[in-house]
Amino acid sequence: YLDSISPQFIADLVSWSAVGASTAASALHRELASGLSTPVGFQGGASSADAAVDAVRSAASGHAFLSVSKQGVAGIVQTTGNRDCHLVLPAASAAEAAEAACGALAALGLPARAMVDCGYGAGCTTPQEQAAAAAAVAARVADGDGRVCGVVLSAFLKPGRQEIGAQPSQLQFGLSVTEPCLGWEDALATLEALAAAVAARRRASPPPVGRSESMPRAPFRELGAIEQTDNLRVQTIRPLLSPACAIEEVELPLQSKRLVLRARCDISAVVQGDSDRLVVLAGP
């Protein structure tokens, strides 16, 4: 998330959220993460994960901050804290840096586990380099590295990327317009290699123990009615459809709601160490 308003419109569709390295130090994004209903990955920088570690610590606690409700009404949001926040480290990070970051989380009583972003950082700028980075992660997992809880892949239908340009009609279907992506076949091969690595780790290591005592789960509280105040120095306001109205007009099917909830629970189990699977996030 780059802003704190859009989650109100789309959060019911999201199973995992991310905060980039450039905003991991932002108090606003840490406050937002403390109230999101999803696990949240804070991306560590190429040279240091200190800001991301501190963000995970901060977002695990409750906050009170100014935001808007589903009805688009401004108010003070009180959160309980998000225990499912975790690190997302660049694949190019040194093993010592990753170990130090996970050690810092363990010292804070937080899950000492991290996802690895195979499409971020030096040496991961092409599909070939990303595939090699994912293979290296798979080797770490197969060797029993229990700190790796997931992998982020830039993947789409075709390998590479393209510029949007002045003629949208000339764009190739299935080719990324953002970062360079793995193609379908390479992504499938990477997933199979990661699955084999998890199986090897599972054979070599005992099953994960239950999570330690941590913050209790609590439902997100919706804001009540709050009086509007006059905008004395606002020339004009262009109203948006409130999240509540948007959700009412395009209701999420029950099957989709169950799928989102199940995915959230599965990711939470991996982040907390209750499951020895890998969470693989693939997309443009």
Side-chain angles (χ1 to χ4, degrees), residues 116-180:
V116 179
D117 190 344
C118 295
Y120 173 71
C124 298
T125 57
T126 68
Q128 295 77 15
E129 291 172 339
Q130 185 180 185
V137 174
R140 287 171 52 187
V141 172
D143 287 341
D145 191 341
R147 296 167 301 181
V148 179
C149 69
V151 177
V152 179
L153 299 175
S154 298
F156 205 27
L157 300 181
K158 296 180 180 180
R161 68 176 300 273
Q162 62 185 327
E163 296 291 343
I164 294 179
Q167 298 294 333
S169 61
Q170 297 180 359
L171 292 176
Q172 295 185 46
F173 177 78
L175 185 60
S176 171
V177 295
T178 53
E179 63 273 12

Side-chain angles (χ1 to χ4, degrees), residues 193-238:
L194 290 170
V198 171
R201 183 172 68 178
R202 199 171 281 166
R203 290 191 297 269
S205 304
V209 297
R211 61 166 62 93
S212 58
E213 189 66 25
S214 59
M215 300 171 58
R217 292 185 181 274
F220 183 81
R221 292 187 175 183
E222 291 291 343
L223 294 174
I226 300 176
E227 292 183 356
Q228 294 279 4
T229 59
D230 292 333
N231 293 302
L232 301 179
R233 292 193 175 122
V234 175
Q235 185 176 17
T236 183
I237 296 178
R238 185 175 181 180

